[in-house]
Amino acid sequence: MKVTHIPFQETGFFSEIMHHYLEQNKNLKTFYNNFPNLEGFQNQIVEKEKSFSLENRTILANALTQQYDEFSISEATKENIKLLRKKETFTITTGHQLNLFTGPLYFLYKIFSTINLCEELADKFPDKNFVPIYWMATEDHDFEEINYFNFDGKKVAWNRKDGGAVGRFSTEGLEEVFQVFSNHLGNSKNAEYLKNLFSKGYLEHQNLADATRFIANEIFKTYGLIIVDGDDTQLKRVFAPFMKQELQEETSFTSVTKSVEELEKNYKIQVNPREINLFYLGDDFRERIIFENDIYKVNNTDITFTKDKILAEVTNNPLVFSPNVIMRPLYQEVILPNLCYIGGGGELAYWLELKAYFDKVEVPFPILLLRNSVQVISEKQARKLDKLNISKKKLFLNQYDLISQKVVANTDIETDFSDKIKYLKSQFKDLKEVAQKTDVTFLNAVNAQEKKQIKGLENLEKRLLKAEKRRQKDLVDRITLLQNEILPNESLEERQRNFSNYYLEYGASFLSILKEELKPLQLKFTILEI
C-alpha cells in the first residue's frame, strides 16, 4: 500500500474560506478561537476545564448510560462514559446525519479522525483523558437528504412518508430496502457481514436513531466511541437557560447577523440566522417558532404561547424544543466537555459564523478541525495513471483541463496560439499610435478590430484543440473513463460512494487501513493506493 498526502488546496474541491482557514489568513482571525495544533489544544483544555461543571458531567454520563441501556457495548465505551464524570476528561466531537447505512464514505473518515485525534492528544497530554464522540443528528427533518446511499453505482433508497425528527422515524418498510441491497451484494464472507449489519441494525430496531446507534457502535465500538443522541430530556434541561434566552432576546440572530455581514465581504455565506433559531417538535413535525404580536407561534400549526407559557414549557417539557443549525453547535458545547469539532468544509464554514454568538453567551468556542478526506485508488487504477503519466495532483484537475493538457502534451502540432495573439497585439499597438493622431472614431474602429481578430484566433485555437482531441480519441476515452472511475460525477468519491463498496472487496482490513493512516492534525488530503 502507498500513501500520498497533498494540500487540500490542490484538490480543487475545497472552498476559499477553508483554504484561508488552513492558512490562518488574517481575514478569519476573529472568527475562531484556538487553531488545531498542540498549542491550541493546550489553551483549549485550560479554557474548557474552567467552564464545565462536575454537575453537568454527572448529568451527561447518566443520560448516556440510559441511551445505551438496550445496547451491548464494549468495555472501552463503558469506560469512556465513566471517564466523562472526571474533571480531567474532555471530548472530541464529530456530527453526522442519520444517513441510510452510514451514507457517504466520509462518515467513516469523520469518526476515524475523531478517534485518532483523541489518541494523539492522550499521548501529548498524558494527565488528561480524551473521549471520541459521534453526535447523531436525530432531530434533523430533511428526510430526502438521508433516505438513500449509493452502492456500486446504484442508488439504494428508502421511500416513506416524510415528517418530523428523523431519529424518531419508524424503521418499518426497510425490509424492502434490505432485499434490494442484499441482491446486489452476492454471497461472499464480506457480503454476509454487510447483510448481517444492515438487517440487525434496521430490522431489529424500532426507530432510525436506535438503528444508527447500533450500526455505528458495531463498526467503532473497539475504539471506545460514544454516540450521543441530543433528542434527550436530561440533556435539553441543561440547555434550557440558553433556549429561554433565545426566546426572550433573540441572542443568536443579533450576534450571527453581525458576523455574517463581515464574512460575506470576502466569502460565500453558508447559513443565515432567523430571529428565533429554535424549532418545536411534535410526533410528526418539526416547525419553526415565530414571535409575532407578542405571541409565540409554531409555524404551520395552531399552537401558540404567551411569553410566560412558552418559558414554562421550556422548564416543564424541554424535549419539544429543538435547536436549528445555528443553535445546535451551542447545544453540543453546553452539554459536552468538548475541545474540538471535526467536520467537513461546509460545516466549518457555518461554525465560523458563530464565534461572536458563543462569546455573547459566555461558552468557550471549540477548536475547528477539517476532517480527514480520502481518495482510494486501486493498484490497477494506479498503474493506469502511471501509463498515462497523470500525477496524483493532476488527477484532481477539472476533466476538460486534464484532457486538454494531456492531448497537447501528446501532439507535435502547435496548439498554443499565445505567441500569435501576442504578435497580433504588437501590430495593433503600432496601428493605435497612428490612430491617436487622427480622431477618436478611427481609434475606436482599431480597438474593435483588434478585439475581433483576437477573438477569432482564440476560437481557432479552441477548434484546433477540439480537432486534436478527436484525432486522439483513444487517449481521451482512456483518461475520461479512468477519472470517472476514481472521481464519480467529477466529484470526490467520499461524497458519492458508501463504505460497503470497499468493505465488500477488502473486508475489515479497509477499516484498519483508515484507522492506521488518517492523521487529523496533518491537515492534508490523503490518497490511499490499496
Side-chain angles (χ1 to χ4, degrees):
M1 186 184 70
K2 184 178 179 182
V3 183
T4 305
H5 298 102
I6 63 175
F8 284 105
Q9 296 91 321
E10 291 183 3
T11 68
F13 288 107
F14 294 85
S15 65
E16 184 180 36
I17 196 169
M18 280 301 98
H19 294 180
H20 285 182
Y21 179 64
L22 294 170
E23 295 157 5
Q24 301 184 61
N25 186 289
K26 63 180 181 180
N27 287 339
L28 290 175
K29 285 289 187 182
T30 59
F31 298 99
Y32 62 91
N33 190 15
N34 292 304
F35 193 72
N37 53 34
L38 293 180
E39 180 184 358
F41 277 102
Q42 176 67 70
N43 295 335
Q44 197 75 26
I45 288 169
V46 172
E47 191 173 354
K48 193 69 180 184
E49 195 166 31
K50 291 178 180 177
S51 69
F52 202 78
S53 69
L54 285 173
E55 179 185 3
N56 281 7
R57 288 180 178 277
T58 300
I59 293 169
L60 174 63
N62 289 343
L64 289 170
T65 300
Q66 289 185 20
Q67 289 185 19
Y68 274 102
D69 187 47
E70 301 293 326
F71 292 83
S72 174
I73 61 174
S74 68
E75 288 302 317
T77 298
K78 287 181 183 176
E79 180 61 23
N80 277 343
I81 292 174
K82 290 180 183 177
L83 286 174
L84 287 172
R85 299 178 184 274
K86 298 184 176 182
K87 65 181 180 61
E88 61 270 17
T89 299
F90 301 93
T91 62
I92 304 295
T93 302
T94 193
H96 194 66
Q97 295 170 301
L98 304 192
N99 292 80
L100 191 61
F101 209 45
T102 76
L105 262 169
Y106 66 81
F107 172 79
L108 268 66
Y109 306 158
K110 277 183 168 183
I111 295 182
F112 276 123
S113 296
T114 305
I115 292 166
N116 285 356
L117 178 57
C118 285
E119 292 182 1
E120 186 170 352
L121 292 175
D123 183 59
K124 301 297 183 183
F125 304 101
D127 59 331
K128 307 296 182 185
N129 306 306
F130 302 92
V131 173
I133 300 287
Y134 159 42
W135 181 289
M136 295 193 296
T138 53
E139 295 178 63
D140 280 3
H141 60 270
D142 194 342
F143 182 58
E144 290 184 0
E145 287 190 0
I146 68 164
N147 70 338
Y148 69 94
F149 64 97
N150 295 312
F151 172 77
D152 198 23
K154 303 176 183 69
K155 187 174 184 178
V156 182
W158 177 23
N159 297 311
R160 58 148 285 161
K161 183 180 178 182
D162 195 0
V166 295
R168 301 179 181 184
F169 280 13
S170 166
T171 51
E172 184 179 353
L174 278 166
E175 297 90 347
E176 296 175 11
V177 179
F178 173 68
Q179 288 303 322
V180 172
F181 181 45
S182 182
N183 291 339
H184 288 321
L185 287 172
N187 298 303
S188 67
K189 179 181 177 182
N190 292 337
E192 291 304 318
Y193 169 83
L194 292 170
K195 291 177 188 178
N196 186 57
L197 181 63
F198 190 103
S199 62
K200 283 191 172 182
Y202 293 109
L203 308 187
E204 297 182 15
H205 292 88
Q206 297 299 309
N207 59 55
L208 193 55
D210 285 349
T212 304
R213 182 188 294 275
F214 174 83
I215 289 170
N217 183 61
E218 284 299 302
I219 296 172
F220 298 105
K221 63 184 177 183
T222 305
Y223 310 108
L225 180 70
I226 293 177
I227 301 161
V228 175
D229 182 354
D231 193 8
D232 182 289
T233 299
Q234 293 182 73
L235 299 179
K236 286 187 177 178
R237 187 159 285 124
V238 174
F239 192 55
F242 297 90
M243 294 195 287
K244 289 180 179 180
Q245 183 182 33
E246 176 72 5
L247 291 165
Q248 295 178 91
E249 302 175 23
E250 299 181 358
T251 317
S252 62
F253 176 74
T254 304
S255 300
V256 177
T257 297
K258 291 178 181 177
S259 296
V260 165
E261 288 172 354
E262 288 301 310
L263 280 166
E264 66 184 355
K265 294 176 182 178
N266 298 296
Y267 309 105
K268 180 181 177 181
I269 294 303
Q270 199 72 13
V271 296
N272 283 291
R274 298 186 182 278
E275 283 80 4
I276 295 176
N277 290 286
L278 285 171
F279 288 100
Y280 193 88
L281 274 178
D283 290 336
D284 58 357
F285 69 88
R286 182 179 184 240
E287 293 287 352
R288 289 167 45 215
I289 298 172
I290 302 168
F291 185 63
E292 290 180 345
N293 301 319
D294 294 328
I295 295 293
Y296 292 91
K297 303 176 182 179
V298 178
N299 198 38
N300 295 320
T301 75
D302 295 326
I303 302 171
T304 60
F305 297 93
T306 62
K307 178 181 176 181
D308 289 342
K309 285 187 176 181
I310 201 168
L311 295 179
E313 181 83 340
V314 174
T315 299
N316 299 324
N317 194 15
L319 191 64
V320 299
F321 294 90
S322 175
N324 75 353
V325 67
I326 295 292
M327 285 194 74
R328 193 214 65 80
L330 181 68
Y331 179 32
Q332 169 191 300
E333 296 302 311
V334 167
I335 67 171
L336 294 176
N338 197 49
L339 301 177
C340 173
Y341 182 76
I342 298 178
E347 289 178 282
L348 299 197
Y350 77 72
W351 273 84
L352 289 168
E353 299 176 21
L354 306 178
K355 171 67 164 52
Y357 174 39
F358 274 69
D359 290 345
K360 179 69 175 178
V361 297
E362 299 182 337
V363 173
F365 191 67
I367 292 173
L368 304 179
L369 177 61
L370 184 61
R371 65 170 172 81
N372 283 115
S373 196
V374 180
Q375 179 61 54
V376 178
I377 299 175
S378 69
E379 290 182 0
K380 184 178 179 181
Q381 290 169 336
R383 287 195 298 270
K384 289 181 179 180
L385 286 171
D386 287 340
K387 284 184 179 179
L388 291 167
N389 196 27
I390 297 175
S391 68
K392 303 298 187 302
K393 181 179 176 180
K394 294 285 187 184
L395 170 65
F396 294 99
L397 282 174
N398 170 277
Q399 193 166 90
Y400 176 87
D401 293 336
L402 175 61
I403 290 172
S404 297
Q405 285 189 19
K406 300 309 294 182
V407 165
V408 168
N410 194 51
T411 184
D412 295 329
I413 299 172
E414 178 57 57
T415 59
D416 185 355
F417 282 19
S418 298
D419 289 342
K420 297 176 179 61
I421 292 172
K422 184 177 179 181
Y423 177 74
L424 182 65
K425 287 182 177 179
S426 71
Q427 297 301 302
F428 272 95
K429 182 181 178 182
D430 294 340
L431 192 53
K432 287 177 187 178
E433 290 177 358
V434 174
Q436 286 174 344
K437 297 175 182 177
T438 56
D439 62 58
V440 70
T441 58
F442 183 61
L443 179 60
N444 290 340
V446 170
N447 287 332
Q449 188 65 25
E450 179 187 28
K451 185 177 180 181
K452 180 180 178 180
Q453 292 198 27
I454 290 173
K455 185 68 174 176
L457 279 176
E458 290 173 344
N459 287 336
L460 286 173
E461 183 181 37
K462 290 177 183 177
R463 290 186 64 178
L464 177 59
L465 181 59
K466 192 174 181 179
E468 190 59 19
K469 286 180 180 179
R470 287 196 298 269
R471 191 175 73 84
Q472 298 186 42
K473 184 177 184 302
D474 178 64
L475 175 64
V476 170
D477 289 347
R478 286 163 61 202
I479 293 171
T480 302
L481 181 63
L482 181 58
Q483 193 184 45
N484 287 347
E485 276 182 11
I486 297 172
L487 301 172
N489 300 319
E490 297 187 52
S491 176
L492 290 176
E493 69 161 0
E494 64 184 31
R495 294 187 169 277
Q496 305 290 320
R497 295 186 173 121
N498 180 261
F499 89 99
S500 54
N501 286 81
Y502 287 117
Y503 197 96
L504 191 63
E505 183 171 357
Y506 301 106
S509 65
F510 178 63
L511 303 179
S512 298
I513 289 168
L514 295 178
K515 174 65 178 63
E516 180 67 26
E517 298 299 338
L518 297 190
K519 314 293 183 187
L521 293 184
Q522 197 170 46
L523 302 180
K524 287 193 174 182
F525 187 93
T526 303
I527 301 170
L528 298 177
E529 294 179 32
I530 58 178

